[in-house]
Amino acid sequence: MAQDAEKEGGLLSIFYRLPALFCIWINLLVFPLAEAATAEPPESGHQSLVVVDGYFQYQAGAWAKYQIHDLKKNERSTIVFSTLERTEKEGGPAIWMEIAVTPEQQDPVITRVLLEETPQGPGQPLEIIVQPHGMTPFIIPKSFLEKAQAEPQSAIAIKPHESTAKPITIKTSKRQLSAIQVEATDEQGGPVKAVLSNEVPPLGLVRAETSDLTMKLKSFGKNAQTKIEGEPINFYLWLTLQVGKGVTGGD
């Protein structure tokens, strides 16, 4: 629970960190299959999201649903973040996380990511499985991950105005939450407003507003289970099957 507004306000750093990591799947969906047959990873177009440094909770079974509004593109989507089983990978702690994204008027896509655990939140992705709606899930090749990790991140550190950190109570349909309302400034001097709560795992975020987007909590809970259905297959096999279906006109 948020007990010390000044202390926790000083820990706040909101940043955009998903472009090259979680958003590979976005490009895979919009990348034409004929071009994707070259086996090159897609270019790094992305939809940035807000993550709170120091507030991420590695709580197995936690889930939270958000409404995202990209103000520049005027695009909306619903995103459900779930933290699932914890494990060890490459000698360090890791956790499986799923991001289920449903763009407005489009089918959902589920991304299952094995992430390094760091004190600041999710670290490097160690494995990624993607399942577009109605399709077989596939495994992102390691070479794609290495390329994504090598690309510079569009991280924009946010400096909070500690004097603005204000304890508040958020009323939801089911309960009241102890939270902190914070004003901040990004590296370009743009204003940021956020409401944070350690009672909302895994992100610890209730609401955020920047010049580019708004992100609002819709609901959250426990006992999350994987939404991936079926056995994931090799990406290149998956791609071959999709090209084959396109040629034959199969579903």
Side-chain angles (χ1 to χ4, degrees):
M1 183 178 296
Q3 297 177 345
D4 187 331
E6 182 175 352
K7 179 180 178 181
E8 298 205 25
L11 293 174
L12 174 64
S13 174
I14 300 175
F15 52 94
Y16 305 103
R17 59 181 296 173
L18 300 189
L21 304 184
F22 292 151
C23 294
I24 294 174
W25 57 266
I26 292 179
N27 299 288
L28 287 171
L29 292 181
V30 301
F31 207 68
L33 287 175
E35 296 181 27
T38 60
E40 291 294 328
E43 294 301 318
S44 182
H46 64 274
Q47 174 182 336
S48 297
L49 301 180
V50 176
V51 179
V52 183
D53 186 10
Y55 270 71
F56 191 90
Q57 297 181 45
Y58 300 101
Q59 186 177 120
W63 63 269
K65 179 188 291 187
Y66 293 87
Q67 183 73 40
I68 308 292
H69 183 194
D70 185 320
L71 300 175
K72 288 189 174 181
K73 297 180 181 179
N74 194 27
E75 295 176 351
R76 292 177 171 81
S77 58
T78 299
I79 302 185
V80 179
F81 295 89
S82 303
T83 41
L84 304 174
E85 61 270 25
R86 302 176 75 178
T87 184
E88 287 191 5
K89 183 76 172 182
E90 299 180 0
I95 189 166
W96 281 104
M97 182 174 183
E98 286 190 2
I99 304 97
V101 181
T102 306
E104 196 171 43
Q105 298 180 345
Q106 295 184 40
D107 288 329
V109 181
I110 302 168
T111 304
R112 178 175 169 87
V113 190
L114 181 61
L115 294 160
E116 291 179 331
E117 289 191 19
T118 76
Q120 292 74 35
Q124 294 287 358
L126 304 173
E127 297 180 35
I128 299 181
I129 298 169
V130 180
Q131 185 166 36
H133 179 69
M135 296 184 178
T136 301
F138 59 87
I139 303 168
I140 295 290
K142 188 174 181 180
S143 60
F144 284 26
L145 296 184
E146 291 172 348
K147 183 176 188 296
Q149 292 168 4
E151 291 179 353
Q153 302 297 299
S154 57
I156 305 175
I158 302 300
K159 297 181 179 180
H161 306 152
E162 294 186 24
S163 60
T164 69
K166 177 183 177 182
I168 60 174
T169 298
I170 300 294
K171 294 182 179 180
T172 69
S173 59
K174 296 183 179 180
R175 57 183 293 188
Q176 292 187 348
L177 305 175
S178 296
I180 293 178
Q181 182 173 291
V182 177
E183 294 183 6
T185 304
D186 63 25
E187 291 180 335
Q188 284 69 45
V192 178
K193 296 181 180 180
V195 175
L196 314 174
S197 176
N198 285 326
E199 298 182 44
V200 186
L203 300 186
L205 181 65
V206 177
R207 184 168 63 248
E209 180 180 345
T210 75
S211 59
D212 296 330
L213 61 82
T214 61
M215 184 172 177
K216 297 180 180 179
L217 179 71
K218 304 301 290 183
S219 58
F220 67 101
K222 303 177 181 179
N223 303 317
Q225 303 292 324
T226 181
K227 290 181 170 59
I228 295 289
E229 297 181 353
E231 189 69 24
I233 64 175
N234 176 278
F235 169 70
Y236 299 105
L237 173 59
W238 180 89
L239 190 61
T240 300
L241 293 175
Q242 301 313 308
V243 172
K245 289 178 181 179
V247 171
T248 62
D251 294 330

